[in-house]
């Protein structure tokens, strides 16, 4: 059975070329499977947003946008209170973006362009300058490129055992050279496999595993100091710095927002 559009969508005007929505989500907010008549860009202020599609699960921290083309069924879930903004995209501009759901990293300029619309609480574009800014925003989304997963995987015979071991023990501080020795290849070869297969370095991938594990432990009320130690950070401040860079807030603020305490 074809999913109906949300009732609110039928009240909005056609994007020309964008139409913005601004909302405040409470902790543990979920949205049942639905679709939209236009492509949708999703943006959160902090934390992590999860989106479930038929064959895909997307997890996006605050420095990523989630792009979902028109008529693609999806469900969404947010674990903490947050400011949320989305933009419906005209069919003409959406044709320039990927034809599948994906993550798009917010470059500094892309972030600033979106921020301006959010701070002014723009919804329908009525000013010629706003129309040009919207077109520029989409252009920078195109130029930023896209990824299909925040934490990609690989079945490569030398890479797969390393990824599995890190997922199981994210606090393991073994170096890339030590991992290479365990899977019987050179450090340079393993580094190249990370870039070619996953599109990022060994350190970046391990950092993302640690971040996702940290979110789970924060939900379970583990002390920040203990989380930092278990994830292999020498000091709690190093862990807090990493967390803030990725999610835009401190671990304790994330925990407060998850409880709805602001």
């Amino acid at each position: 059975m074809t999913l109906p559009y949300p009732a609110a969508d039928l009240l909005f005007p056609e994007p020309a070329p964008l139409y913005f929505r601004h909302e405040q989500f409470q902790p543990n907010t979920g949205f049942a499977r639905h679709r939209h008549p236009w492509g949708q860009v999703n943006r959160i202020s902090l934390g992590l947003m999860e989106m479930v599609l038929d064959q895909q699960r997307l997890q996006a921290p605050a420095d990523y946008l989630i792009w979902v083309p028109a008529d693609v069924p999806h469900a969404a879930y947010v674990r903490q209170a947050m400011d949320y903004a989305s933009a419906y995209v005209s069919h003409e501009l959406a044709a320039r973006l990927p034809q599948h759901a994906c993550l798009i990293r917010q470059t500094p300029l892309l972030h600033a362009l979106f921020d301006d619309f959010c701070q002014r609480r723009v919804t329908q574009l009525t000013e010629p300058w706003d129309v040009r800014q919207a077109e520029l925003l989409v252009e920078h989304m195109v130029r930023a490129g896209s990824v299909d997963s925040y934490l990609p995987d690989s079945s490569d015979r030398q890479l797969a055992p390393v990824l599995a071991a890190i997922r199981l023990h994210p606090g393991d501080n073994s170096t890339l050279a030590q991992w290479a020795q365990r899977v019987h290849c050179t450090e340079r070869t393993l580094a190249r496999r990370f870039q070619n297969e996953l599109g990022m370095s060994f350190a970046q991938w391990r950092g993302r595993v640690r971040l996702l594990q940290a979110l789970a432990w924060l939900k379970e009320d583990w002390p920040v100091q203990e989380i930092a130690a278990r994830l292999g950070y020498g000091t709690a401040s190093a862990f807090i710095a990493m967390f803030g860079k990725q999610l835009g807030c401190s671990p304790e603020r994330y925990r407060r927002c998850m409880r709805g305490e602001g």
Side-chain angles (χ1 to χ4, degrees):
M1 186 179 75
T2 302
L3 286 171
Y5 296 129
D9 285 4
L10 304 179
L11 302 176
F12 298 137
E14 181 108 9
L18 301 181
Y19 182 86
F20 289 91
R21 299 178 63 182
H22 309 276
E23 300 177 65
Q24 174 70 41
F25 287 159
Q26 295 305 308
N28 301 313
T29 298
F31 298 90
R33 198 164 176 268
H34 63 284
R35 65 189 179 110
H36 300 290
W38 305 285
Q40 185 187 41
V41 184
N42 299 270
R43 185 189 199 236
I44 56 177
S45 59
L46 58 85
L48 195 76
M49 184 173 192
E50 300 175 38
M51 197 162 286
V52 180
L53 300 98
D54 288 342
Q55 305 294 329
Q56 188 181 15
R57 177 185 291 271
L58 294 174
Q59 292 180 306
D63 56 345
Y64 278 84
L65 304 171
I66 297 183
W67 162 245
V68 181
D71 293 314
V72 173
H74 58 282
Y77 188 76
V78 293
R79 297 186 183 279
Q80 63 287 318
M82 63 171 66
D83 292 322
Y84 166 80
S86 67
Y88 290 135
V89 183
S90 69
H91 296 310
E92 180 182 358
L93 285 187
R96 303 195 56 215
L97 292 166
Q99 299 306 297
H100 62 283
C102 61
L103 306 183
I104 298 176
R105 186 170 183 85
Q106 291 194 75
T107 63
L109 182 52
L110 185 52
H111 197 284
L113 291 169
F114 224 122
D115 266 352
D116 181 61
F117 282 123
C118 291
Q119 288 165 4
R120 293 187 289 125
R121 309 296 284 184
V122 172
T123 52
Q124 189 172 4
L125 305 185
T126 57
E127 299 295 330
W129 169 248
D130 280 342
V131 172
R132 291 194 294 272
Q133 181 169 317
E135 292 169 343
L136 184 61
L137 187 153
V138 173
E139 174 65 27
H140 279 278
M141 286 179 62
V142 173
R143 290 172 179 256
S146 64
V147 294
D148 294 334
S149 173
Y150 178 68
L151 191 66
D153 211 341
S154 173
S155 59
D156 178 87
R157 65 181 181 82
Q158 290 177 316
L159 201 54
V162 178
L163 303 185
I166 293 173
R167 287 181 190 271
L168 193 60
H169 301 290
D172 187 335
N173 276 325
S174 296
T175 65
L176 183 62
Q178 290 170 323
W179 283 115
Q181 187 175 25
R182 292 169 195 170
V183 295
H184 311 293
C185 71
T186 66
E187 181 179 0
R188 178 174 293 184
T189 295
L190 192 56
R192 187 167 57 246
R193 289 186 188 278
F194 266 94
Q195 288 294 345
N196 293 344
E197 291 282 323
L198 307 177
M200 66 188 72
S201 70
F202 162 73
Q204 289 172 318
W205 193 89
R206 183 170 64 183
R208 293 186 181 194
V209 173
R210 290 176 171 181
L211 176 63
L212 295 178
Q213 183 61 70
L215 296 180
W217 284 341
L218 284 168
K219 185 179 180 182
E220 295 172 8
D221 278 337
W222 286 34
V224 169
Q225 189 84 28
E226 185 173 354
I227 293 174
R230 285 182 175 247
L231 290 179
Y233 290 92
T235 64
S237 59
F239 165 67
I240 292 169
M242 177 282 297
F243 195 96
K245 183 178 180 181
Q246 294 296 319
L247 296 193
C249 63
S250 70
E252 285 298 348
R253 185 189 171 201
Y254 175 89
R255 181 154 33 210
R256 290 197 304 272
C257 289
M258 189 163 53
R259 295 168 176 163
E261 297 172 1

